[in-house]
Amino acid sequence: MIDVTSLTYTYPTGKTIQFPNFAVERGEHCLLLGESGCGKTTLLHLLGGLLRTNTGSIKVGGQELRELSEAGLDGFRGEHIGFIFQKNHLISALTVEQNLLLAPYLSKKEGSRVADVLNALNLPGIQKKKITTLSQGQAQRVAIARALMNKPDVILADEPTSALDDRNCDAVIELLMNVAKENQTTLVIATHDSRLKSKVKRQIDLR
């Protein structure tokens, strides 16, 4: 599903990171490991087309990302990739439902899955609630729900458990893995959280 070859990225400061070659199969779960500053978030953004490669190749579902225009990348992301960012980036002025409907609206997909996705994440009946009324755990699950709205082929998650206690860490990672398994979604998690090492067998160390 994901193939990375001879990939490098140069930051505006001039620092260049070279990433290892790797492939992640459809439905496979994978951790990107390493301390802060090793390029985990950068690699996620490259995999999702939010950053452009300097050299090398990234293929997602057989599509070479560097061959797509910016508009083409936007459409490809909307159809195939779900992001879970370190900060949830939910829009506080909108309701839960309005936040979730942004994903299918921007990618021109059907938005009728809101209730089904929320129910799957044990969040029934919160569609009309404002984001500001949710607990941290609820908001995090809404961010996960947003990533699932378009039934993506790939979920890219950036430090989804770093701010959580052990109980909530277990709940979130099991939730992500179960949802990915049900949909045969490829799951790539960037983390420095050592608690996840025992839960996800495939691990790529970027140090």
Side-chain angles (χ1 to χ4, degrees), residues 17-143:
I17 291 183
Q18 182 172 354
F19 297 101
N21 296 344
F22 65 92
V24 187
E25 301 300 325
R26 181 171 182 84
E28 188 175 10
H29 305 162
C30 176
L31 295 183
L32 301 178
L33 299 175
E35 299 301 323
S36 296
C38 72
K40 299 187 302 296
T41 296
T42 297
L43 180 54
L44 277 192
H45 289 184
L46 288 166
L47 295 178
L50 296 175
L51 291 174
R52 290 287 196 172
T53 62
N54 292 108
T55 63
S57 169
I58 300 173
K59 292 181 180 178
V60 178
Q63 172 65 57
E64 175 63 64
L65 296 190
R66 67 183 175 188
E67 294 177 353
L68 295 172
S69 65
E70 290 301 323
L73 271 173
D74 287 343
F76 187 83
R77 275 193 300 269
E79 186 172 354
H80 298 288
I81 298 174
F83 276 99
I84 301 170
F85 295 100
Q86 200 165 353
K87 294 182 179 179
N88 63 47
H89 295 296
L90 298 170
I91 300 174
S92 59
L94 301 181
T95 65
V96 169
E97 182 176 42
Q98 289 168 335
N99 269 275
L100 296 190
L101 286 175
L102 281 176
Y105 171 77
L106 293 174
S107 61
K108 298 180 175 59
K109 284 194 171 184
E110 174 59 48
S112 61
R113 298 184 66 241
V114 170
D116 291 341
V117 172
L118 289 175
N119 288 336
L121 296 176
N122 197 27
L123 292 170
I126 71 165
Q127 288 96 317
K128 303 303 180 183
K129 287 189 175 182
K130 287 289 185 71
I131 296 299
T132 51
T133 68
L134 304 180
S135 68
Q136 180 183 359
Q138 287 176 321
Q140 186 172 38
R141 279 183 285 165
V142 170

